[in-house]
Amino acid sequence: MNIGIIGLGLIGGSIGLGLRKSNFGDKFLGIDSNKENALHAVKLGIVDDIIPLQDLIMQSSVIILSIPVDGIEKIITSILNRINMDTVILDTGSTKYDIYNRIFSHPKRSRFVATHPIAGIENSGPISAHPDLFYKKKCIICDSELSAPDAMDVVKKIYSIMNMRMIYMTSKEHDLYIAYISHLPHVVSFALASTVLKKFKNKEKIFNNMMGSGLDSTTRLAKSKPETWLPIFISNRVNLIQAVDFYIDHLNKFRNHLINKEFHEINQYMKKANNIKNKKKYV
């Protein structure tokens, strides 16, 4: 079985390494628009060969789409047009509903499985890839009823090999939920980093001498690549606007408590927020 990986960055690279570690797949073929990524992927043993897209499609039994979501939307129809009826395609994109709409009526739609392995970090590229990146993480599988049973079996095996827990939902549900638990945190991190940089512009001593773990941890996601996240924000724009508005309401509530010296309310507000620790125990 040949595995074709389109996009040899952190996620695609880690899938390749994880499958190799488990001896799943005979040959690994790859392609990446970034030539440096492609070279690193071969040197690191993520793939055996870098080949043209057309050849990868024809030679692969499993095709993994691990590129920005706008790129997936652009090529998914073309790939479906060219594959054999026993080929399995899966994607790793952070949004799903636009892809769902694009290929809903395609005659080979059943060969595609929409997945979102939630295991990203702020670092990128194949040099950050790791075979155990997905260990005990979650993978969301969307619209599974639209995928052929044999295609689902292959995808389940892939994520089981990497010790991921699979969760099932519709693309619409996925994009709504992920707007709050993944996309909004990135917006907050980008906004916080921009706020501090703007306020203390040209004051390096602030960053060198005073930056603590609080700012460091809350701006960690601001190191994420814009070329990855802008397409996500565009694709999930409506849900993300709703999430940002809801967050702004909470910021305003906190601000008003400060203005009105309602310190007891602030204390209660923080205590309620502490419950996020208990929620995380069960996910």
Side-chain angles (χ1 to χ4, degrees):
M1 177 188 292
N2 289 348
I3 311 295
I5 305 176
I6 301 174
L8 298 167
L10 172 70
I11 300 299
S14 295
I15 291 175
L17 291 175
L19 294 180
R20 272 197 184 281
K21 182 179 178 182
S22 302
N23 296 314
F24 182 91
D26 301 311
K27 189 172 184 180
F28 288 76
L29 309 170
I31 185 171
D32 196 291
S33 59
N34 184 316
K35 291 183 179 179
E36 189 174 342
N37 277 0
L39 289 172
H40 279 307
V42 175
K43 289 179 181 177
L44 293 168
I46 293 169
V47 294
D48 299 301
D49 293 306
I50 301 296
I51 63 175
L53 178 61
Q54 180 63 36
D55 294 337
L56 183 146
I57 294 169
M58 299 309 297
Q59 294 179 32
S60 301
S61 301
V62 177
I63 298 173
I64 299 165
L65 291 170
S66 192
I67 55 178
V69 290
D70 58 338
I72 294 172
E73 290 174 33
K74 286 176 184 174
I75 68 171
I76 183 64
T77 302
S78 172
I79 292 174
L80 283 170
N81 289 342
R82 290 173 169 82
I83 61 167
N84 298 318
M85 279 307 296
D86 58 353
T87 304
V88 177
I89 307 172
L90 67 95
D91 82 309
T92 65
S94 291
T95 59
K96 289 285 170 277
Y97 194 61
D98 284 351
I99 298 170
Y100 165 90
N101 282 330
R102 184 171 291 267
I103 63 170
F104 180 77
S105 300
H106 196 283
K108 295 180 184 175
R109 167 62 184 83
S110 65
R111 306 314 306 166
F112 173 73
V113 182
T115 81
H116 181 192
I118 303 176
I121 56 176
E122 68 274 16
N123 299 321
S124 60
I127 58 173
S128 300
H130 192 278
D132 297 320
L133 178 69
F134 305 100
Y135 182 71
K136 290 191 175 179
K137 302 289 178 61
K138 301 170 192 69
C139 179
I140 301 174
I141 298 180
C142 296
D143 312 312
S144 57
E145 72 282 356
L146 300 179
S147 301
D150 68 299
M152 282 298 304
D153 288 342
V154 170
V155 171
K156 286 178 185 177
K157 186 171 183 180
I158 287 172
Y159 287 122
S160 293
I161 282 171
M162 293 185 288
N163 287 294
M164 298 199 83
R165 181 162 71 89
M166 284 161 275
I167 302 166
Y168 300 86
M169 62 182 66
T170 67
S171 331
K172 198 166 187 178
E173 288 173 323
H174 169 276
D175 286 8
L176 174 62
Y177 300 152
I178 215 73
Y180 285 86
I181 64 173
S182 175
H183 302 169
L184 179 61
H186 279 80
V187 172
V188 171
S189 190
F190 284 126
L192 179 58
S194 298
T195 299
V196 175
L197 288 169
K198 181 72 173 179
K199 179 65 178 177
F200 299 110
K201 185 168 53 177
N202 301 323
K203 293 186 179 178
E204 292 299 323
K205 64 181 181 181
I206 297 294
F207 296 99
N208 293 336
N209 301 325
M210 296 183 66
M211 185 169 172
S213 59
L215 184 64
D216 192 44
S217 61
T218 48
T219 57
R220 177 181 63 84
L221 297 176
K223 302 170 189 173
S224 301
K225 292 172 65 175
E227 53 264 44
T228 297
W229 279 93
L230 180 58
I232 292 171
F233 293 157
I234 292 171
S235 178
N236 209 19
R237 174 177 167 272
V238 174
N239 288 320
L240 189 53
I241 289 171
Q242 180 190 102
V244 169
D245 285 345
F246 199 59
Y247 182 64
I248 289 171
D249 286 344
H250 276 264
L251 283 178
N252 281 328
K253 182 182 291 186
F254 195 93
R255 178 177 180 272
N256 289 334
H257 287 325
L258 286 172
I259 290 171
N260 298 320
K261 299 181 180 179
E262 297 168 345
F263 303 127
H264 174 74
E265 284 75 8
I266 292 175
N267 186 55
Q268 293 303 113
Y269 188 93
M270 291 189 292
K271 282 184 176 180
K272 288 181 181 178
N274 284 164
N275 287 327
I276 194 72
K277 294 184 293 187
N278 296 324
K279 297 292 184 185
K280 287 173 71 176
K281 291 178 183 177
Y282 303 103
V283 297

